[in-house]
Amino acid sequence: MTSDNPCDKDTVILSPSYRLPIIIICVGLLFLITPFRPWPTIVISSFGFFLLLQSFTLKLKFTKDDLIVMQLGNELRRFPFQNWIAWKIILPKLPGFLYFREEASPHLLPILFEVNSLKEQLRLRVKDLEIQKEVDSSKAKT
């Protein structure tokens, strides 16, 4: 996690994590031992290499009011926190996904960033919108 400007405490750029792409590439390579080779290996590993490239080029920038997706220093998309309805990190122990819902549409992003820093920044900025685990209704009645 790095700060864009040392004077700006509200702006943070997350450090990349290469865990998800490497796991996908390894899973693809495991298909070499199956009788279906080489096509599953080519397809799955190609997707893993695509995500690896994305993890080198994409950055998530958190400002006081927005989540900004940047590629090679250029802004791709801006998601103002005021438009968010809810968010959740799905499968955080595995290389997971960030789900968040805006007023206009839902979004599901693979986590190509350090998951603890991502969670920390989201809780800092939009904690009240986090989707909590639902309590089992049978346990709640007892």
Side-chain angles (χ1 to χ4, degrees):
M1 181 169 54
T2 59
S3 179
D4 192 39
N5 182 347
C7 298
D8 188 1
K9 291 181 255 180
D10 291 331
T11 300
V12 174
I13 297 177
L14 295 186
S15 301
S17 172
Y18 307 107
R19 208 169 97 182
L20 177 62
I22 290 172
I23 288 174
I24 291 174
I25 291 168
C26 291
V27 167
L29 292 174
L30 285 175
F31 275 90
L32 283 174
I33 61 174
T34 67
F36 306 112
R37 65 178 184 269
W39 294 110
T41 297
I42 292 170
V43 171
I44 294 169
S45 294
S46 296
F47 179 64
F49 281 113
F50 168 74
L51 287 178
L52 187 62
L53 176 67
Q54 293 290 62
S55 64
F56 279 106
T57 61
L58 289 178
K59 304 283 185 228
L60 279 187
K61 181 178 179 179
F62 284 90
T63 65
K64 181 180 158 204
D65 300 318
D66 304 306
L67 168 65
I68 302 169
V69 179
M70 300 178 66
Q71 185 172 38
L72 300 172
N74 298 321
E75 183 179 317
L76 284 181
R77 186 88 192 265
R78 182 177 292 257
F79 300 101
F81 293 131
Q82 68 184 16
N83 296 339
W84 286 37
I85 296 172
W87 69 271
K88 181 174 181 72
I89 294 181
I90 302 168
L91 302 171
K93 299 293 182 202
L94 299 172
F97 297 92
L98 168 62
Y99 164 81
F100 64 97
R101 172 113 177 117
E102 287 187 295
E103 294 170 352
S105 63
H107 304 280
L108 188 64
L109 304 172
I111 298 178
L112 299 174
F113 310 94
E114 209 284 306
V115 70
N116 292 329
S117 298
L118 175 63
K119 198 180 301 185
E120 176 187 324
Q121 290 302 313
L122 288 168
R123 285 185 175 155
L124 183 68
R125 288 160 168 71
V126 285
K127 179 173 179 43
D128 55 326
L129 301 178
E130 182 176 9
I131 300 171
Q132 301 296 324
K133 290 184 181 178
E134 293 184 23
V135 178
D136 185 11
S137 59
S138 62
K139 290 181 182 178
K141 292 179 183 177
T142 57

